[in-house]
Every structure is written in C-alpha cells, then in structure tokens.
Amino acid sequence: ANLRQILLKTSSLSGRTKLLHQTGLSLYSTSHGFYEEEVKKKLQQFPGGSIDLQKEDSGIGILTLNNPSKMNAFSGVMMLQLLEKVIELENWTEGKGLIVRGAKNTFSSGSDLNAVKSLGTPEDGMAVCMFMQNTLTRFMRLPLISVALVQGWALGGGAEFTTACDFRLMTPESKIRFVHKEMGIIPSWGGTTRLVDIIGSRQALKVLSGALKLDSKYALHIGMVEEVLQSSDETKSLEEAQEWLKQFIQGPPEVIRALKKSVCSGRELYLEEALQNERDLLGTVWGGPANLEAIAKKGKFNK
C-alpha cells in the first residue's frame, strides 16, 4: 500500500485520465447544456420493451434487447433501462465478459419511431444524443470484454450499439446497416466516432454515405466483425458466442478487468497518460494472488 500511496501522490493525473479511472462519470453535464433529469422525464413517456440482464457464475453477462414486436427497437424506457443496466454492470466486480443480443433472432432496429416523432426539435435530438452517448461511452469503458451477437438485423441505432462492444460476431444470414442517411440524419449515439476507430475513415465513409447493407461476408472482409458463426439458431448461436468469448476471459477477474482498462486508456489517452495508467493498473495485480500462484507453478516446472 505504501508504494501505491507514493504512486498516487506522484501521478498528476489529468482530467481525462481521472474520467477513465473512475467509473460512473459521464461525458456531458450541465456545462454542456445537458440536463439529465429533464431528458429522463421525456424518455419515460415512451414505454415498451425492456433491457434484460442475466449475470452467469462464469463471469459472463448476457444483455438482451427485448422488444420483439418492434424488432427490438429502443423505446424511451429501454434507453433509461440501458443506463440502469450499465450502472449495474459497473458495480459487478466478478464480471469478466458480456454478450449483447436481441430477443427472437434479431438484434435491434434502432430507435422506436414513436419516440422519434415526438422529439421533433434539434434541441430534443441533441439531448437524446447526449444521453445515449453518455450511456454507450460508459458501456464501452466497462472493464468487461464485450461482444455483440448480431442475428437478423442491426439497423440504425442498433448498428451503432454494436460498435460500442469490443467485438462483433454475426450469424450467416444477418445484416448490419447504418440507415441514418435514409432517415435524413447522421448517427447520434457515438456510432460514427467508434466506426472510424473500428474500420478506418475511408471504409466508415462508404458504409455511412452508401447506407450499405453489410452482410456477414462483407462485414468480415472490411474488418467490422471477428467471425461469422456456424448457426443462425438463437440458442446455438448464443452457445457459439459464449464459447468464442471464453478464450479471452479465462483467468481471474482482476487480471481480465485490468487488461480491458489498460486497452481502453491506450485507445483514449495521450501516450504519457496511458503509460501512467498502465503502471497504476499493474500495481493492482503485481504480487497479487494470481501472480504469486503463477510464479510458484513456474518454479515447479523449472526444477
């Protein structure tokens, strides 16, 4: 603990590093003209569907977008529930991995048009944009290795949600489509910013300005997805996704979580800050139980 206290005193962490260090902090606040309680009151007026979370003993969570009568479109209430589930996941210290999927063989068709019609002004649009960017940025920074299991369609906001996951897997017949141009708008849940990070600016510009239908073959070709699964069946494809994820989450939660945090800071911070963050994260696992056990085992093999 003494070493840690010294390190904390000597690291003059910038605001950005602090944001990453502390869970539960959002991008936007009142200084950006974002009034969260007002937005929540508006979203509450649009019910329908739910966001379900199942936390398995294996350390894998399963987050289900559940509004099948509307192809799992996000109602206002679902947007609010997504934030609640993200907060629950921020507090799940035993968690290591997360699978995001839609109910009844399809991922999500984006925003529920009922809500969209009623939120007609640019101010309304920007308020919901800030709310969803906050939620999905917190989601992306979760210390869990996340994978979107895309079955059926991931459209609009549904396509944007897949980009907030670390990885994407598609079933053979599924499609991803950033359909925003056809609706006369642009992605507003952080989708463009994250898409550029995933496939680069040239491919992102094509995908968005062409409103391209990305089938599994094309998505694999441009590096949007990791793998195309064998099965299109709901149960079997979920099992396949779990098997795929397991190879990355073997080991103690504190180590997996520190790795994810370290990769996050490498992506989001300047070099010096990212390196300092790596050092601080190392301090949470070096000399810890998993480290000592591994050293003891190696010692046995070397004799």
Side-chain angles (χ1 to χ4, degrees), residues 29-238:
S29 61
T30 48
S31 63
H32 304 92
F34 179 62
Y35 300 94
E36 188 172 40
E37 292 314 309
E38 284 177 27
V39 180
K40 283 181 170 175
K41 270 188 203 135
K42 277 190 181 168
L43 291 175
Q44 197 68 53
Q45 296 164 17
F46 306 102
S50 62
I51 305 283
D52 308 332
L53 175 62
Q54 195 181 326
K55 292 183 291 200
E56 313 258 313
D57 292 339
S58 62
I60 293 182
I62 297 169
L63 190 76
T64 306
L65 316 176
N66 190 355
N67 192 8
S69 66
K70 294 193 168 179
M71 280 180 68
N72 304 323
F74 271 81
S75 65
V77 165
M78 284 168 73
M79 291 180 192
L80 296 174
Q81 283 187 8
L82 180 62
L83 177 59
E84 286 165 19
K85 300 302 182 201
V86 168
I87 292 168
E88 189 179 331
L89 288 165
E90 284 173 345
N91 295 310
W92 185 33
T93 49
E94 298 84 54
K96 299 194 278 187
L98 184 68
I99 294 172
V100 183
R101 61 169 194 158
K104 300 277 189 299
N105 281 308
T106 196
F107 190 78
S108 169
S109 59
S111 300
D112 181 359
L113 289 179
N114 284 343
V116 173
K117 276 181 211 153
S118 309
L119 300 165
T121 69
E123 290 71 25
D124 285 335
M126 286 165 74
V128 176
C129 163
M130 288 190 277
F131 181 83
M132 287 303 291
Q133 283 188 4
N134 271 351
T135 302
L136 289 178
T137 302
R138 283 171 72 168
F139 175 88
M140 190 173 75
R141 289 176 177 162
L142 286 170
L144 305 168
I145 296 178
S146 59
V147 58
L149 166 56
V150 182
Q151 294 180 275
W153 283 93
L155 290 172
E160 290 191 68
F161 195 169
T162 71
T163 66
C165 295
D166 298 315
F167 304 110
R168 283 145 297 282
L169 297 171
M170 288 175 86
T171 57
E173 307 301 311
S174 64
K175 301 216 171 30
I176 298 174
R177 190 182 185 203
F178 292 83
V179 73
H180 304 79
K181 183 185 80 162
E182 309 280 303
M183 303 299 295
I185 54 167
I186 65 170
S188 60
W189 297 358
T192 302
T193 305
R194 294 185 301 263
L195 188 65
V196 168
D197 208 38
I198 295 163
I199 58 174
S201 57
R202 273 175 53 228
Q203 291 291 4
L205 189 58
K206 273 197 241 176
V207 165
L208 295 170
S209 64
L212 303 182
K213 289 178 188 158
L214 306 180
D215 60 24
S216 55
K217 195 177 161 193
Y218 187 68
L220 191 63
H221 169 67
I222 61 171
M224 178 80 187
V225 299
E226 301 305 310
E227 259 180 52
V228 181
L229 300 175
Q230 301 288 307
S231 177
S232 294
D233 173 76
E234 193 166 24
T235 314
K236 283 187 185 147
S237 60
L238 180 60

